[in-house]
Amino acid sequence: MDKKDDIFELVKSLTANEKRFFQLFSKLRKGDKNYMKVFLLMDKMKVYDGKKINNRFPKSGVNISSEKKYLQKQIMKSLRIFHSENSSELIVNSLLQDIEILLNHRQFAAAAECIEKVKTLTLELDLFQQFLVAVKWESRLALRKGDYKYLETQSNAIYKKEEEVIEQLLNLSAYRNLNNQVFAMFNRTGNLKEKQKTLELNKLLKNPLLQDARKAKSFLAKSHFHQSRHLSMIQKNDFESAYKEQKNNTTLFERDKLKITHFT
């Protein structure tokens, strides 16, 4: 049996609809499609068999390794298109690509509209890194247009907004780190009984960020706050407090239906 093959695992992970879309997507490309022959062989395999793939191309000069890498590239490209309308983050990333294309074609009005749309979406969805990219394009748009008056009057406001968003990004990163630590501890140990492990958990809970939900500067940071405390209370066998934290997190989502679609 051959060792695990990442591209084979990717092929086997595809749903029936994803496979169907990929096969339709591949028909748009003309010429030899040896990568599709590799795909069809892999799709029929239950376990990876490199010899079977090599035997399919005897003395043909086909570079199997290159074909597999190209197959992976084409699968990922088709998946990005297939899921482009199902993920808020993919939609935002696609809009950022549109901005660059529009600027390169000097379609300044359309690019400006796209930038405003991205800025609104990213702040609604706590996608702070993408917001900063949109602001970068906003400055480049003004430079491309020669709109120096805009840069002169708005640069300070843009800089202050960037500072605010960077602060939110760092705050979210800190809460994500705490949540990851609590989650890892929960899954590694189950209910904490040993004194040392209890001390480790108590140390995490003493972190100022887990003392007050008001320190969380974004929706997702607040959710991490409640999730971290929820799991911590379970490990301490304080199920009443754990229930309260879970309820607070649920209430947070119920107040904003858009977040339910994006974060769950």
Side-chain angles (χ1 to χ4, degrees), residues 103 107-109 111-113 115 136-147:
L103 280 178
Q107 300 299 304
F108 297 140
E113 184 179 342
I115 288 168
K136 177 195 73 175
W137 285 117
E138 188 174 26
S139 296
R140 287 189 182 181
L141 171 61
L143 287 169
R144 295 273 184 96
K145 290 170 63 179
D147 191 352

Side-chain angles (χ1 to χ4, degrees), residues 21-80:
F21 182 81
F22 172 64
Q23 288 175 301
L24 291 171
F25 175 80
S26 70
K27 290 180 180 179
L28 297 175
R29 183 177 179 273
K30 297 180 180 179
D32 293 332
K33 297 178 184 176
N34 289 319
Y35 74 94
M36 279 304 299
K37 295 175 184 176
V38 174
F39 169 79
L40 293 172
L41 282 170
M42 286 185 169
D43 190 37
K44 292 177 182 178
M45 294 177 184
K46 291 186 178 180
V47 294
Y48 181 67
D49 187 346
K51 289 183 179 179
K52 182 176 279 189
I53 295 175
N54 290 329
N55 291 338
R56 178 65 178 80
F57 303 96
K59 300 180 181 180
S60 63
V62 173
N63 188 319
I64 303 298
S65 178
S66 294
E67 293 296 337
K68 286 172 62 181
K69 288 178 181 178
Y70 188 75
L71 170 62
Q72 181 184 42
K73 182 179 178 180
Q74 293 302 105
I75 290 175
M76 294 306 300
K77 189 181 291 186
S78 74
L79 287 175
R80 283 193 291 271

Side-chain angles (χ1 to χ4, degrees), residues 88 120-128 218-223 249-264:
S88 300
T120 299
L121 275 173
T122 50
L123 292 182
E124 286 179 352
L125 299 172
D126 291 359
L127 298 173
F128 301 124
S218 63
F219 175 91
L220 195 51
K222 288 181 173 66
S223 180
N249 198 37
T250 301
T251 301
L252 192 66
F253 278 90
E254 288 176 342
R255 289 174 183 162
D256 193 335
K257 303 300 183 185
L258 177 65
K259 301 296 194 302
I260 295 176
T261 302
H262 180 67
F263 292 122
T264 60

Side-chain angles (χ1 to χ4, degrees), residues 100-111:
E100 183 172 6
I101 292 168
L102 289 167
L103 280 178
N104 288 338
H105 286 78
R106 302 185 65 79
Q107 300 299 304
F108 297 140

Side-chain angles (χ1 to χ4, degrees), residues 22-244:
F22 172 64
Q23 288 175 301
L24 291 171
F25 175 80
S26 70
K27 290 180 180 179
L28 297 175
R29 183 177 179 273
K30 297 180 180 179
D32 293 332
K33 297 178 184 176
N34 289 319
Y35 74 94
M36 279 304 299
K37 295 175 184 176
V38 174
F39 169 79
L40 293 172
L41 282 170
M42 286 185 169
D43 190 37
K44 292 177 182 178
M45 294 177 184
K46 291 186 178 180
V47 294
Y48 181 67
D49 187 346
K51 289 183 179 179
K52 182 176 279 189
I53 295 175
N54 290 329
N55 291 338
R56 178 65 178 80
F57 303 96
K59 300 180 181 180
S60 63
V62 173
N63 188 319
I64 303 298
S65 178
S66 294
E67 293 296 337
K68 286 172 62 181
K69 288 178 181 178
Y70 188 75
L71 170 62
Q72 181 184 42
K73 182 179 178 180
Q74 293 302 105
I75 290 175
M76 294 306 300
K77 189 181 291 186
S78 74
L79 287 175
R80 283 193 291 271
I81 297 171
F82 184 79
H83 292 286
S84 61
E85 298 301 319
N86 299 325
S87 162
S88 300
E89 194 161 353
L90 284 175
I91 290 171
V92 167
N93 289 334
S94 179
L95 287 171
L96 287 171
Q97 290 180 325
D98 290 348
I99 292 167
E100 183 172 6
I101 292 168
L102 289 167
L103 280 178
N104 288 338
H105 286 78
R106 302 185 65 79
Q107 300 299 304
F108 297 140
E113 184 179 342
C114 231
I115 288 168
E116 288 305 314
K117 187 173 183 180
V118 170
K119 286 167 64 179
T120 299
L121 275 173
T122 50
L123 292 182
E124 286 179 352
L125 299 172
D126 291 359
L127 298 173
F128 301 124
Q129 289 174 313
Q130 287 91 331
F131 175 88
L132 295 171
V133 175
V135 170
K136 177 195 73 175
W137 285 117
E138 188 174 26
S139 296
R140 287 189 182 181
L141 171 61
L143 287 169
R144 295 273 184 96
K145 290 170 63 179
D147 191 352
Y148 304 115
K149 183 177 180 180
Y150 175 84
L151 289 173
E152 183 180 352
T153 58
Q154 297 299 317
S155 282
N156 284 336
I158 291 172
Y159 176 71
K160 287 180 181 179
K161 187 62 181 178
E162 282 182 306
E163 279 193 318
E164 177 188 329
V165 171
I166 289 170
E167 186 178 354
Q168 288 179 294
L169 176 61
L170 292 174
N171 179 261
L172 174 57
S173 180
Y175 272 103
R176 183 182 292 118
N177 176 47
L178 287 169
N179 192 47
N180 287 343
Q181 289 186 60
V182 173
F183 190 77
M185 190 180 294
F186 179 81
N187 282 278
R188 185 180 71 243
T189 64
N191 289 332
L192 288 175
K193 294 180 180 179
E194 299 177 26
K195 184 177 180 180
Q196 182 58 38
K197 293 173 182 177
T198 303
L199 289 173
E200 289 178 16
L201 181 60
N202 287 338
K203 183 178 179 180
L204 278 176
L205 288 171
K206 286 180 181 178
N207 187 302
L209 293 178
L210 292 180
Q211 295 291 309
D212 187 351
R214 291 173 296 182
K215 292 185 182 294
K217 299 181 182 297
S218 63
F219 175 91
L220 195 51
K222 288 181 173 66
S223 180
H224 284 323
F225 170 87
H226 293 303
Q227 287 176 11
S228 297
R229 290 188 59 83
H230 167 70
L231 289 177
S232 297
M233 294 305 109
I234 289 177
Q235 292 184 86
K236 291 168 70 70
N237 295 320
D238 184 352
F239 299 111
E240 183 177 352
S241 295
Y243 171 76
K244 287 179 181 178

